[in-house]
Amino acid sequence: MSTFQELGLNDDLLHAITDLGFIKPSEVQEKAIPILLESETDLVALAQTGTGKTAAFGFPMLEKIDVNSRTTQGLILSPTRELCLQIANEMKQYGKYCKGLNVVAIYGGSSITDQAREVKRGAQIIVATPGRMKDMISRRMVDISKIQYSVLDEADEMLNMGFKEDITDILSHTPEEKNTWLFSATMPREVATIAKKFMNAPQEITVGNKNESTSNVSHEYYLVNARDRYQALKRLSDANPDIFSVVFCRTKRDTQKVAEQLIEDGYSAGALHGDLSQNQRDLVMKSFRNKQIQTLVATDVAARGIDVDDITHVINYQLPDEIETYTHRSGRTGRAGKTGVSMVIVSKSEVRKIKSIERIIKRQFEKKDIPDGSEICEVQLMSLANKIHNTEVNHEIDKHLSSINELFEDTDKDELIKKFFSVEFTRFYNYYQKSKNLNVSDDGGRGRDRDGGRDFGGKSNSTRYFINVGSKDSFDWMKLKDFLKEQLQLGRDDVFKVEVKDSFSFFNTENELKDKVLAFFTDFKHEGRFVNVEVSENRGGGRRNDRNRGRRRDDRKGGGRRDERRSDSRNRGDRRRSEGSSKPRHSDSGNSSTFKPRRSRR
Ligand code: AMP
C-alpha cells in the first residue's frame, strides 16, 4: 500500500490531503493516480461511488493544469446537479493551496447568466451536468475548445438518464488530442461503446469486479407477504435505532406514500422524487445531510448523485425493475471505507430475483427474519440505556434537584430506573406486544407461529445472548460470528442469528452451549475492555427462553463491577460519536420519543 507522497502528488495537494484527514489512498486512487500523473493517456476506471474516485481523477487533474492561465483546461461531466456540486466542492477542497485555481460548477435550475459570469472570470476547471453544458455551448457562454482533460463521471448513470446525445455533442466541441478519463460503476454495452468511440487506447483499471458490489456492504433479504411490506420496513427501522437510511421504491407514488405514512407514524422521514420542485428536493436533501431526516424515501432517478457518506442502510422496499439498478442502490451505503447493509424486502413471487442479483453483484444474500416485537423492544431499550449513559449532564437541572429528590425520596434506585425507562418503553412495548410474526416461510406460509400468532413468548432449543460489542467496535455479523467461534472454539454452525447493532449485539447457540458461553465470558477482556455476555430476553427471529428472564436481571446486578470498568473507555468513544452524528429525531417534531410507533396502528 502506497502513501499519497509515493503516488507522486505535489506539496500543495499533500498539504490539502493532510487537512482533509485522508491517511492513505483508496484502491481506485492507488491505481489511477500514478497512471494519470505519469502518462498522457485515456483511462476507463470501473469504480463505485464512495470509493474515492473524485480524488482519483481530481488530484491528477489539479496537478496537471496550469493555474496561472485563465483558459478552461479540465471538464468534468456528471449526471446530476447534486453530484456536480459535490465534485466541484471536493475539487475546491483538494486544490485549496493551488493559488489562482478557479473551479466552476454549471448545472440546471440555477441562473445561467451567473454561471456564465463565473466562467468568464477564468475557470481552469468546469464541472457540469450535460444538459446545462450543452445549453451554454450553444449560447457561446463557455469555450471548451482548449480542454486537455475531460472526465465522464458515473458514465453509466449519464447514459441511463439519456444524456448520450448531449455528451456526444459536448465532446465534439473539445480538441481531438485531449485525454478522456471515464469513471463508471458498471460496464453496460452503452458505456463500452462510448469508450470505444471517444477514447484512444484507454488504459483500464477495475476496483472490485465489473458490476460488483463493494465488499463493505452486506446484503440481506426478508421474505414477507406483499401486504406486510410497510410493517416490515418499520420493524427493520425499529430494530436499528441508529439507522440512517435510504429506502428505495419503484414509483413516485409509492415513494410519496411510504414517506407520508412514515411521517404520520412518527418517524423522521422525507420523500425525494421527480414530482417535487428543485427547491423542495434541495430542502429534503439538506435535512437528510444534517440528519434531521433519518430515513429518505426515494426513487432511483431522484436518488442519483446522493453522496452522503454515513448512510448505514439501504432498504429496497421494492426491487428495481432493472436488476443492474440494485448495484447503484446498494452503493449508496458502505461509502468512504465504512460498512453498510443493503436490505431487500421481498414477497414470494420476487424471491427468484435475489438469485439473479447475486449473480450480477457476485455476492451472496443472507436470508434473515424480520425481527419480532420482543427483540425490537430489547434493542430499543438497550439503545436508550446507552444514550442515557452517554448523555452529558445539563447542569441547569442542578437548581431543581432538591425538589426532584424530594419527590423521589421514597423511591429506590431500581424503581427509579424502571419508572424512568417506562416513560418511553411502555408505549413501545404496548405497540409491539400484540404484533404478529411477519415472516413467510419458503413454502409460502407464515413463519412458525410460536405463541398463538404473536411474537412474544414461546420456547426453543436455542439460547439468545446479548453481548456488549457492536459495529462501533468494528464488528459486523460475520466478524462477530468468527470472533465467537474462535474464542469459544466452536464449530461452523454453532453460532447463529448474529445481529450486530451499534454498540451491542445478539447471537444464538444451542442450549447445551449456554453454560460454556456464559462461563467463558465471566471475566473476558477484548482489546483492553471487559466483554459482557448475558442471556437475552428476546429469541432472535422468534425464539425466546423464558427460563432465562430472571437470570438476565440477576446477571446485570452482579455485573456491576464489570459494568463500571467497561464504561470508561468505551463510552467516552460513544459520546464523541453520538455528538457528531445524531440530531435527536424528537427535537423539533414535538415527538419526545426515541421510540417511534406513536399509534397502536398495525
Ligand atoms: P467519492 O467516491 O469520490 O464520492 O468519495 C467518497 C468520500 O470519500 C468523499 O467524502 C471523500 O472525501 C472521501 N475520500 C476520498 N478519498 C479518501 C481517502 N483516501 N481517505 C479517506 N476518505 C477519502
Side-chain angles (χ1 to χ4, degrees):
M1 171 65 76
S2 340
T3 62
F4 281 108
Q5 231 146 359
E6 284 161 355
L7 294 185
L9 296 171
N10 69 31
D11 286 347
D12 286 344
L13 295 176
L14 291 173
H15 195 169
I17 289 169
T18 309
D19 287 359
L20 284 161
F22 295 178
I23 311 287
K24 54 182 178 16
S26 68
E27 187 184 348
V28 65
Q29 292 161 5
E30 203 172 19
K31 286 182 172 166
I33 292 172
I35 296 177
L36 299 180
L37 283 184
E38 282 157 26
S39 53
E40 293 299 314
T41 178
D42 285 354
L43 177 83
V44 171
L46 282 165
Q48 293 268 334
T49 92
T51 51
K53 63 188 168 55
T54 313
F57 60 74
F59 291 145
M61 186 182 277
L62 288 164
E63 176 115 14
K64 288 187 154 194
I65 57 159
D66 177 6
V67 280
N68 297 316
S69 155
R70 284 156 50 96
T71 308
T72 302
Q73 302 152 59
L75 172 67
I76 302 164
L77 291 178
S78 80
T80 63
R81 160 197 165 105
E82 271 283 325
L83 198 59
C84 174
L85 281 164
Q86 152 92 1
I87 295 170
N89 266 337
E90 296 255 324
M91 293 295 282
K92 283 178 195 170
Q93 286 190 54
Y94 301 158
K96 69 186 209 192
Y97 297 110
C98 305
K99 216 161 167 268
L101 173 73
N102 194 15
V103 179
V104 173
I106 63 182
Y107 48 87
S110 233
S111 159
I112 196 165
T113 42
D114 287 353
Q115 289 172 2
R117 203 173 307 125
E118 277 198 67
V119 170
K120 226 184 176 115
R121 273 193 221 127
Q124 296 96 350
I125 297 175
I126 291 179
V127 189
T129 50
R132 175 54 63 95
M133 186 68 199
K134 197 178 152 203
D135 204 4
M136 289 182 80
I137 292 172
S138 64
R139 292 161 75 165
R140 298 184 188 285
M141 288 169 152
V142 284
D143 174 9
I144 50 169
S145 63
K146 300 197 176 62
I147 294 288
Q148 293 168 40
Y149 307 101
S150 66
V151 175
L152 302 177
D153 191 32
E154 304 222 350
D156 50 353
E157 287 287 7
M158 287 201 282
L159 297 178
N160 265 340
M161 291 169 78
F163 285 135
K164 188 169 172 209
E165 303 299 313
D166 289 351
I167 294 170
T168 310
D169 188 78
I170 292 164
L171 292 182
S172 72
H173 290 84
T174 59
E176 275 278 307
E177 61 280 7
K178 70 179 179 303
N179 290 142
T180 301
W181 306 335
L182 181 150
F183 285 73
S184 191
T186 56
M187 191 39 113
R189 204 161 359 101
E190 297 84 346
V191 178
T193 313
I194 284 266
K196 211 164 169 192
K197 187 163 171 195
F198 292 104
M199 300 170 82
N200 182 18
Q203 300 208 38
E204 270 196 40
I205 59 169
T206 302
V207 179
N209 287 332
K210 294 178 190 179
N211 295 324
E212 200 174 283
S213 171
T214 84
S215 58
N216 293 350
V217 179
S218 51
H219 303 264
E220 303 172 351
Y221 77 93
Y222 296 82
L223 186 55
V224 299
N225 280 321
R227 65 174 177 278
D228 290 332
R229 224 179 261 282
Y230 178 70
Q231 299 304 325
L233 170 65
K234 287 211 302 186
R235 291 219 199 155
L236 291 173
S237 303
D238 290 342
N240 294 282
D242 293 308
I243 197 167
F244 181 50
S245 61
V246 182
V247 174
F248 282 98
C249 296
R250 237 189 326 242
T251 65
K252 293 185 238 181
R253 200 160 151 261
D254 285 348
T255 303
Q256 185 65 30
K257 221 169 72 186
V258 169
E260 273 173 15
Q261 182 108 51
L262 284 172
I263 293 165
E264 202 178 312
D265 287 343
Y267 295 77
S268 64
L272 188 74
H273 56 73
D275 282 352
L276 302 174
S277 69
Q278 185 63 53
N279 203 21
Q280 286 170 315
R281 272 187 279 168
D282 287 348
L283 280 174
V284 172
M285 276 312 296
K286 191 166 167 221
S287 308
F288 186 54
R289 258 182 236 293
N290 295 339
K291 302 211 161 107
Q292 284 158 331
I293 285 178
Q294 203 175 1
T295 299
L296 182 72
V297 191
T299 55
D300 289 299
V301 174
R304 279 178 184 144
I306 290 182
D307 47 42
V308 180
D309 284 344
D310 306 328
I311 294 167
T312 57
H313 293 71
V314 162
I315 303 182
N316 293 264
Y317 187 75
Q318 295 140 336
L319 277 173
D321 290 328
E322 297 286 327
I323 289 172
E324 284 77 10
T325 305
Y326 180 83
T327 315
H328 288 287
R329 288 183 173 186
S330 60
R332 300 290 157 214
T333 184
R335 290 168 58 92
K338 301 192 172 90
T339 56
V341 184
S342 176
M343 298 171 156
V344 183
I345 304 173
V346 279
S347 62
K348 198 84 208 303
S349 63
E350 300 165 307
V351 85
R352 69 195 151 73
K353 277 193 172 181
I354 294 289
K355 292 275 159 253
S356 315
I357 296 175
E358 283 180 338
R359 270 195 301 278
I360 287 184
I361 63 172
K362 300 203 170 65
R363 301 287 307 278
Q364 291 265 299
F365 273 80
E366 192 196 1
K367 180 177 185 300
K368 288 188 128 181
D369 282 348
I370 296 288
D372 65 28
S374 84
E375 187 176 357
I376 291 172
C377 284
E378 175 156 11
V379 166
Q380 289 279 352
L381 191 59
M382 291 316 297
S383 165
L384 181 61
N386 264 293
K387 272 187 194 140
I388 292 171
H389 188 268
N390 299 333
T391 296
E392 298 262 11
V393 170
N394 179 340
H395 288 289
E396 278 303 301
I397 293 169
D398 293 358
K399 56 179 179 272
H400 305 291
L401 207 55
S402 63
S403 325
I404 296 172
N405 268 328
E406 216 171 289
L407 192 62
F408 290 103
E409 212 168 32
D410 300 327
T411 317
D412 72 16
K413 186 183 165 195
D414 275 1
E415 190 63 15
L416 185 62
I417 289 176
K418 281 191 251 174
K419 275 176 183 281
F420 183 77
F421 278 83
S422 298
V423 173
E424 294 290 353
F425 186 65
T426 304
R427 191 165 29 141
F428 204 76
Y429 176 84
N430 286 346
Y431 175 82
Y432 268 117
Q433 68 164 333
K434 292 190 177 122
S435 59
K436 63 186 182 187
N437 179 4
L438 297 182
N439 297 297
V440 170
S441 62
D442 283 340
D443 61 13
R446 282 256 177 239
R448 272 186 300 152
D449 257 351
R450 299 169 191 96
D451 189 26
R454 307 254 160 97
D455 274 351
F456 277 64
K459 286 193 178 120
S460 87
N461 295 328
S462 80
T463 302
R464 183 91 167 144
Y465 307 85
F466 165 94
I467 182 167
N468 66 336
V469 295
S471 54
K472 283 179 177 172
D473 307 287
S474 306
F475 282 108
D476 55 24
W477 71 270
M478 280 176 286
K479 284 187 190 144
L480 184 60
K481 189 171 178 167
D482 288 344
F483 170 79
L484 292 166
K485 279 188 323 200
E486 198 179 302
Q487 295 298 335
L488 293 159
Q489 303 201 334
L490 297 177
R492 222 184 76 180
D493 300 320
D494 287 343
V495 178
F496 47 95
K497 291 198 179 294
V498 181
E499 288 277 348
V500 175
K501 306 295 173 194
D502 225 26
S503 48
F504 53 92
S505 309
F506 299 98
F507 64 94
N508 282 33
T509 71
E510 294 302 325
N511 288 343
E512 301 85 77
L513 290 168
K514 188 173 83 186
D515 291 342
K516 179 176 178 177
V517 173
L518 294 176
F520 182 84
F521 284 106
T522 315
D523 214 13
F524 176 81
K525 262 184 168 182
H526 172 60
E527 294 183 352
R529 83 182 175 82
F530 281 93
V531 174
N532 191 25
V533 171
E534 294 159 17
V535 172
S536 159
E537 288 276 324
N538 81 58
R539 296 160 295 164
R543 294 172 190 178
R544 179 163 88 175
N545 192 335
D546 273 341
R547 279 174 298 151
N548 295 318
R549 293 180 79 178
R551 173 181 175 112
R552 177 178 175 147
R553 277 183 211 112
D554 295 340
D555 281 353
R556 283 197 182 275
K557 261 188 196 163
R561 189 176 60 87
R562 276 191 288 157
D563 284 351
E564 273 163 38
R565 276 187 284 173
R566 83 178 172 205
S567 68
D568 33 48
S569 63
R570 165 181 190 74
N571 291 323
R572 266 200 303 276
D574 278 354
R575 189 181 310 140
R576 265 200 307 275
R577 272 185 286 264
S578 61
E579 270 168 6
S581 65
S582 57
K583 176 161 173 83
R585 173 190 7 244
H586 49 268
S587 61
D588 40 15
S589 65
N591 169 16
S592 65
S593 171
T594 23
F595 296 151
K596 291 154 283 188
R598 290 189 300 183
R599 294 146 212 263
S600 300
R601 182 199 293 191
R602 280 181 292 127

